[in-house]
Amino acid sequence: MAIPTSRTAEAGEIAVDNSKCNGCGLCVEVCSDLEFKIINGKAVPSGTSVFGCIGCGHCMALCPQDAIKITGRDLSVSDIFPLEDKVKANFVDFYSLLQSRRSIRKFKDQEVSPDKIEKILQAAQMAPMGIPPSDVNVLVIRGSEKNHQFASDFCDLLNNQQWLVSKWFIYLMRLFQGKEVGNYFRNFIRPLVHTYIDFMKDGKNAITYDAPLALYFYGTIYSDPADPVIAATYAMLAAESLGLATCMIGGAHPFLQNGPAAEKFRIKYGIRQKSRAGLILLVGYPKIKFRRGINRSFAHIDYQ
């Protein structure tokens, strides 16, 4: 048995075509789980791997003789495609894309076409993951009306969870989780929740901003918490490359995880399960155009 995910608990199956294998040893070198060894000039499964084949496909993608086939763990030979030996993207154009990107919350009343949605999802599925196959799930909400309803239902959920921002709960958070966490709840989470609810009472959507498209990326109990965040980032960059504007929304996900009201909400919207990490990506055509970029920086960059 290999490392389990929500999609499979079985190890991948390795097949080596001895008539093609020339014993170059690249599969031995690339496999981090020691799945291969060279015997009599041919690659063979070692039988002494640590976890069992997780289906990363490195050996299959690397083998110069096309002698290795991996199946199982939602991986098949049909997933392999040739790579062109050329520069994939130049840094100047890529950095220009990053410089021009800003979080947009004002969108035109213009739908995102199905073909662009498909391209965004295709790009996001290429994101790296902790353990394959990916345990990232995506909820696609198409149309501003559906996004408004999603936000309205979410505010109803918040009304049932206001104890999370009550004075006594924030006091307990400060007492048991530390001053920084308590201050975070008091100075950010509490006003955020009240803003969401108060704005919605006036018909204003401060959650999904009535965007023409929202993509909710979330993981499973098995997935690395970074997985849905990285996939959402890939989707964001893909959308920007297609001339669309984007905005990452992280404030909704934590409230969808616990309690009967949150479970009811998840069932209504087909959200398959609770998860440690998640992000909503808003996508659409911007109403505004920025004329200047702004440089950003990290807190620290330390070289050793």
Side-chain angles (χ1 to χ4, degrees), residues 14 23 32 40 56 63 68-69 84 91 99 102 169-170 176 179 194-195 198 207 233 248 252 258 274 285-286 292 302:
I14 304 170
S32 299
N40 297 326
C56 70
C63 179
I68 301 173
K69 307 300 180 188
E84 296 183 21
F91 179 79
Q99 286 181 310
R102 297 206 63 80
F169 184 79
I170 293 176
F176 292 104
K179 181 175 68 174
H194 290 158
T195 297
D198 293 343
I207 301 159
T233 303
M248 293 280 203
N258 299 299
K274 298 190 293 184
Y285 294 91
R292 285 165 288 278
D302 298 315

Coordinates of all heavy atoms in Angstrom, one line a residue, residues 14 23 32 40 56 63 68-69 84 91 99 102 169-170 176 179 194-195 198 207 233 248 252 258 274 285-286 292 302:
I14 N 4.4 -0.8 -11.8 CA 5.6 -0.5 -12.6 C 5.8 -1.7 -13.6 O 5.9 -2.8 -13.2 CB 6.9 -0.3 -11.8 CG1 6.6 0.8 -10.8 CG2 8.1 0.0 -12.7 CD1 7.8 0.9 -9.8
G23 N 19.6 -0.1 -19.7 CA 20.3 -0.1 -18.4 C 21.0 1.2 -18.1 O 22.0 1.2 -17.4
S32 N 12.9 9.0 -6.1 CA 13.2 9.3 -4.7 C 12.8 8.2 -3.7 O 13.2 8.2 -2.6 CB 12.5 10.6 -4.3 OG 13.0 11.7 -5.1
N40 N 21.8 -7.1 -14.2 CA 22.2 -7.7 -15.5 C 21.9 -6.7 -16.6 O 21.5 -7.0 -17.7 CB 21.5 -9.0 -15.8 CG 21.8 -10.1 -14.8 OD1 23.0 -10.2 -14.3 ND2 20.9 -10.9 -14.5
C56 N 4.2 9.4 -9.4 CA 4.7 10.8 -9.9 C 5.0 10.8 -11.3 O 4.9 11.8 -12.0 CB 5.9 11.2 -9.1 SG 7.4 10.3 -9.4
C63 N 12.6 8.3 -19.1 CA 13.3 7.2 -19.8 C 13.5 7.5 -21.3 O 12.6 7.7 -22.0 CB 12.4 5.9 -19.6 SG 13.1 4.5 -20.5
I68 N 9.5 2.3 -19.7 CA 8.8 2.2 -18.4 C 7.4 2.7 -18.5 O 7.1 3.8 -19.1 CB 9.5 3.0 -17.3 CG1 11.0 2.5 -17.2 CG2 8.8 3.0 -16.0 CD1 11.8 3.4 -16.2
K69 N 6.5 1.9 -18.0 CA 5.1 2.3 -18.0 C 4.6 2.2 -16.5 O 4.8 1.2 -15.9 CB 4.2 1.4 -18.9 CG 4.7 1.2 -20.3 CD 4.7 2.6 -21.0 CE 5.2 2.4 -22.5 NZ 5.4 3.7 -23.1
E84 N 8.5 19.8 -26.0 CA 9.4 20.4 -27.0 C 10.6 21.0 -26.4 O 10.6 21.6 -25.3 CB 8.6 21.6 -27.7 CG 7.4 21.1 -28.5 CD 6.7 22.2 -29.2 OE1 7.3 23.3 -29.4 OE2 5.5 22.1 -29.6
F91 N 11.6 35.3 -19.2 CA 11.4 35.9 -17.9 C 10.8 37.3 -18.0 O 10.0 37.8 -17.2 CB 12.7 36.0 -17.1 CG 12.6 36.7 -15.8 CD1 12.0 36.0 -14.7 CD2 12.9 38.0 -15.6 CE1 11.9 36.6 -13.4 CE2 12.8 38.7 -14.4 CZ 12.3 38.0 -13.3
Q99 N 4.0 42.1 -12.8 CA 4.0 43.5 -12.5 C 2.6 44.1 -12.7 O 2.2 45.0 -12.0 CB 5.0 44.2 -13.3 CG 6.4 44.0 -12.8 CD 7.4 44.8 -13.6 OE1 7.4 44.7 -14.9 NE2 8.3 45.5 -13.0
R102 N -3.0 43.0 -10.4 CA -3.5 43.6 -9.1 C -4.8 42.9 -8.8 O -5.5 42.4 -9.7 CB -3.6 45.1 -9.2 CG -2.3 45.8 -9.5 CD -2.4 47.3 -8.9 NE -2.5 47.3 -7.5 CZ -1.5 47.1 -6.6 NH1 -0.3 46.8 -7.1 NH2 -1.7 47.2 -5.4
F169 N -15.1 34.6 23.1 CA -14.3 33.7 22.3 C -13.0 34.3 22.0 O -12.0 33.6 22.1 CB -15.1 33.3 21.1 CG -14.4 32.3 20.2 CD1 -14.4 30.9 20.5 CD2 -13.6 32.7 19.1 CE1 -13.8 30.0 19.8 CE2 -12.9 31.7 18.4 CZ -13.0 30.4 18.7
I170 N -13.0 35.6 21.7 CA -11.7 36.2 21.4 C -10.8 36.2 22.6 O -9.6 36.1 22.6 CB -11.9 37.6 20.9 CG1 -12.6 37.6 19.5 CG2 -10.6 38.4 20.8 CD1 -13.0 38.9 18.9
F176 N -5.5 31.2 25.3 CA -4.9 29.8 25.0 C -4.0 29.8 23.7 O -3.2 29.0 23.6 CB -6.0 28.8 24.8 CG -6.7 28.5 26.1 CD1 -8.0 29.0 26.3 CD2 -6.2 27.7 27.1 CE1 -8.7 28.8 27.5 CE2 -6.8 27.4 28.3 CZ -8.1 28.0 28.5
K179 N -1.4 36.3 22.4 CA -1.9 37.6 22.2 C -2.0 37.9 20.7 O -3.0 38.6 20.3 CB -0.9 38.6 22.8 CG -1.3 40.1 22.7 CD -0.3 41.0 23.4 CE 1.0 41.0 22.8 NZ 1.9 42.0 23.4
H194 N -18.4 41.2 10.4 CA -19.5 42.3 10.4 C -19.6 43.0 9.1 O -20.8 43.3 8.7 CB -19.2 43.3 11.6 CG -19.3 42.7 12.9 ND1 -18.7 43.2 14.0 CD2 -20.0 41.6 13.4 CE1 -19.0 42.4 15.1 NE2 -19.8 41.4 14.7
T195 N -18.5 43.2 8.4 CA -18.6 43.9 7.1 C -19.3 43.0 6.1 O -20.2 43.5 5.3 CB -17.2 44.2 6.6 OG1 -16.5 45.1 7.5 CG2 -17.2 44.8 5.2
D198 N -23.1 43.1 7.2 CA -23.8 44.4 7.0 C -23.9 44.9 5.6 O -24.9 45.4 5.1 CB -23.0 45.5 7.8 CG -23.0 45.3 9.3 OD1 -24.0 44.5 9.7 OD2 -22.2 45.8 10.0
I207 N -18.0 39.6 -0.6 CA -17.3 38.3 -0.5 C -16.9 37.8 -1.9 O -15.7 37.6 -2.1 CB -18.3 37.3 0.1 CG1 -18.7 37.8 1.5 CG2 -17.6 35.9 0.2 CD1 -20.0 37.1 2.0
T233 N -3.1 29.6 -7.4 CA -2.1 30.6 -8.0 C -1.9 30.3 -9.5 O -1.8 31.2 -10.3 CB -0.8 30.5 -7.2 OG1 -1.1 30.8 -5.8 CG2 0.2 31.5 -7.7
M248 N -7.8 37.0 -5.2 CA -7.8 35.9 -4.2 C -8.6 36.3 -3.0 O -8.4 37.3 -2.4 CB -6.4 35.5 -3.8 CG -5.5 35.0 -4.9 SD -5.9 33.2 -5.2 CE -4.4 32.7 -6.0
A252 N -13.4 33.4 3.3 CA -14.6 32.5 3.4 C -14.3 31.1 3.9 O -15.0 30.5 4.7 CB -15.3 32.5 2.1
N258 N -16.5 23.9 10.0 CA -17.0 23.2 11.3 C -18.4 23.6 11.6 O -18.8 24.8 11.4 CB -16.1 23.6 12.4 CG -14.6 23.1 12.2 OD1 -14.4 21.9 12.1 ND2 -13.7 24.0 12.1
K274 N -14.6 18.8 4.4 CA -13.8 19.8 5.1 C -12.4 19.8 4.6 O -11.9 18.7 4.2 CB -13.9 19.6 6.6 CG -15.3 19.8 7.2 CD -15.2 19.8 8.7 CE -14.8 18.5 9.3 NZ -14.8 18.5 10.8
Y285 N -13.7 40.3 -16.2 CA -13.1 41.4 -17.0 C -13.2 42.7 -16.1 O -14.3 43.0 -15.6 CB -13.9 41.6 -18.3 CG -13.7 40.5 -19.3 CD1 -14.6 39.4 -19.3 CD2 -12.6 40.4 -20.1 CE1 -14.4 38.3 -20.1 CE2 -12.5 39.4 -21.0 CZ -13.4 38.3 -21.0 OH -13.2 37.3 -21.8
P286 N -12.1 43.4 -15.9 CA -12.1 44.5 -15.0 C -12.8 45.8 -15.5 O -12.8 46.1 -16.7 CB -10.6 44.8 -14.9 CG -10.0 44.4 -16.2 CD -10.8 43.2 -16.6
R292 N -0.3 52.5 -13.2 CA 1.0 52.3 -12.6 C 1.0 51.0 -11.8 O 0.0 50.6 -11.2 CB 1.3 53.5 -11.7 CG 1.7 54.8 -12.4 CD 1.6 56.0 -11.6 NE 0.2 56.4 -11.2 CZ -0.6 57.1 -12.0 NH1 -0.1 57.5 -13.2 NH2 -1.8 57.3 -11.6
D302 N 17.0 36.3 3.8 CA 18.2 36.1 4.5 C 19.0 35.0 3.7 O 18.5 33.9 3.4 CB 17.9 35.5 5.9 CG 17.2 36.5 6.8 OD1 17.6 37.7 6.8 OD2 16.3 36.1 7.5

